[in-house]
Amino acid sequence: FCYFFDFDRRYSAPVSTMKLDRNFIRTTVLGLALFPTQSSHAFNTSPTTNPRSTVSSCSWTPSTSTTSSSSELNMIRNRGLERREEGATPLPGGMTLYIKPAADGTSIGDCPFGHFVRMVLTEKGLDYDLIPSSPENKPQWLIDDYGGKMPALRHRKECYVDSEVIAQYLDFFFKEPELSVGGETELASVAVDGFFPALAKFIKHGGENGDEEDLMKQAVLEERLVALEEHLGKERTGPYLVGSGEQFTLLDCSMAPKMYVMEVCLREIKGNAIDLGKYPKVRKYMDDLFVRPSFQSTVEYGPENVVWGWTSH
């Protein structure tokens, strides 16, 4: 299920750790391109031992390990990039994205991580086939070799899971437009750190709206909104998160579906418990994200599927 998370792993990690994870992703992808191994060039359908999932995957199972999360990166290390005569660099085409389905099992579901990947693909103008996959119709190789985790991007003979891994892979090899800006992301990462886990805990509160525990979870979410409001209030010349705000980045692609979840769930599930009017810069940031063509063309699942996704389990 898309909305249960290992809150004690990536999002509670220090920002320096999260930055290292991103750098490790990019280094791993580059290393595989330059130094492919014998086992890193074929689509492998043999089972992977005890695959772990991540907060950026639509299929999550609890992990008891405290080791830094890198199983998805290990999957890349083990399978690598498809090798071809003209070199290791992947070419456009041949992409299929497997994502969480809606209630009917066949329509596009509301997973913000799958939506994140779709926005990156759309920003880069990359063609892909989209396959919503329920437990009943997932490909057997996806279950056997990748634990059935989604979103999963199969690019010809290779497959990558974990939305951040997929996004970094796409941005590294398909540069136009480039959505990464190196070290400039640190302040923006601090501003959004912990936002989505706080949102998820608030929305998924099992008690009554407005009870003591619910109010505590609301307060934590509002703390994160204050941090984001303050970041967006700093001197900047553009509407986005990183640096001066002029460049739309992977971080914005990641945040857009999550902000949409917040907007819908605050209205439809939480009775407008938080007035976003108190956070005008956050509200404007949301509006700027929501008008981007890459968002509008990938949000066809709509509010009703968001509500179903957050209330059906």
Side-chain angles (χ1 to χ4, degrees):
F1 179 57
C2 185
Y3 300 112
F4 289 87
F5 304 94
D6 187 346
F7 293 111
D8 295 327
R9 273 200 298 136
R10 180 177 304 176
Y11 277 99
S12 60
V15 172
S16 59
T17 302
M18 294 191 292
K19 184 177 179 182
L20 177 62
D21 288 345
R22 293 191 190 96
N23 290 335
F24 181 55
I25 291 168
R26 294 176 66 85
T27 303
T28 301
V29 170
L30 177 59
L32 287 166
L34 297 178
F35 306 106
T37 65
Q38 193 171 28
S39 63
S40 70
H41 61 269
F43 185 80
N44 187 351
T45 57
S46 60
T48 301
T49 302
N50 190 26
R52 294 174 53 199
S53 61
T54 165
V55 76
S56 49
S57 171
C58 287
S59 303
W60 183 85
T61 52
S63 168
T64 57
S65 171
T66 57
T67 306
S68 175
S69 63
S70 61
S71 64
E72 290 76 17
L73 306 179
N74 288 333
M75 287 182 180
I76 290 182
R77 189 185 297 118
N78 291 336
R79 291 170 183 79
L81 302 171
E82 180 182 359
R83 294 181 67 181
R84 50 179 64 82
E85 290 182 2
E86 60 269 33
T89 302
L91 299 175
M95 293 185 183
T96 302
L97 182 65
Y98 297 85
I99 62 167
K100 171 190 170 184
D104 62 9
T106 58
S107 302
I108 297 169
D110 64 302
C111 174
F113 305 117
H115 193 172
F116 165 31
V117 173
R118 293 182 68 200
M119 285 188 66
V120 176
L121 287 162
T122 303
E123 288 284 338
K124 292 180 175 295
L126 295 170
D127 293 330
Y128 63 99
D129 294 323
L130 185 64
I131 303 181
S133 299
S134 67
E136 292 75 27
N137 64 12
K138 282 182 185 178
Q140 193 60 43
W141 58 262
L142 182 57
I143 297 170
D144 291 344
D145 209 28
Y146 300 89
K149 290 189 291 182
M150 299 183 296
L153 179 71
R154 183 168 180 175
H155 189 191
R156 296 191 176 91
K157 295 182 180 180
E158 305 305 323
C159 182
Y160 303 94
V161 295
D162 181 295
S163 59
E164 186 175 348
V165 170
I166 296 169
Q168 292 283 356
Y169 168 78
L170 293 170
D171 199 50
F172 190 88
F173 288 110
F174 304 100
K175 292 291 189 182
E176 296 300 328
E178 189 166 12
L179 299 174
S180 297
V181 287
E184 295 182 35
T185 61
E186 185 167 348
L187 290 177
S189 296
V190 172
V192 302
D193 183 34
F195 164 75
F196 195 57
L199 174 64
K201 288 182 178 181
F202 180 49
I203 297 171
K204 296 296 291 184
H205 172 59
E208 295 292 328
N209 284 349
D211 66 18
E212 183 176 357
E213 184 180 355
D214 189 57
L215 292 175
M216 291 175 61
K217 292 175 178 177
Q218 176 180 333
V220 173
L221 176 57
E222 295 217 51
E223 287 177 3
R224 303 319 310 151
L225 289 173
V226 167
L228 182 55
E229 181 79 6
E230 291 175 350
H231 174 76
L232 292 168
K234 294 175 182 176
E235 185 174 346
R236 54 206 302 108
T237 56
Y240 303 120
L241 279 176
V242 176
S244 66
E246 291 287 344
Q247 183 175 346
F248 185 74
T249 67
L250 290 179
L251 190 56
D252 299 303
C253 285
S254 175
M255 286 296 291
K258 297 168 186 175
M259 301 302 262
Y260 181 66
V261 167
M262 179 175 71
E263 179 180 71
V264 172
C265 291
L266 286 179
R267 181 180 67 242
E268 303 294 339
I269 298 175
K270 304 302 290 187
N272 290 313
I274 296 176
D275 177 11
L276 292 178
K278 296 190 301 182
Y279 308 100
K281 294 180 175 59
V282 173
R283 178 70 263 181
K284 184 180 184 305
Y285 174 61
M286 293 168 65
D287 293 340
D288 288 329
L289 293 177
F290 295 167
V291 298
R292 282 194 76 89
S294 62
F295 178 84
Q296 295 210 341
S297 64
T298 52
V299 74
E300 66 271 66
Y301 53 85
E304 63 280 359
N305 277 313
V306 175
V307 173
W308 172 81
W310 287 83
T311 59
S312 59
H313 295 268

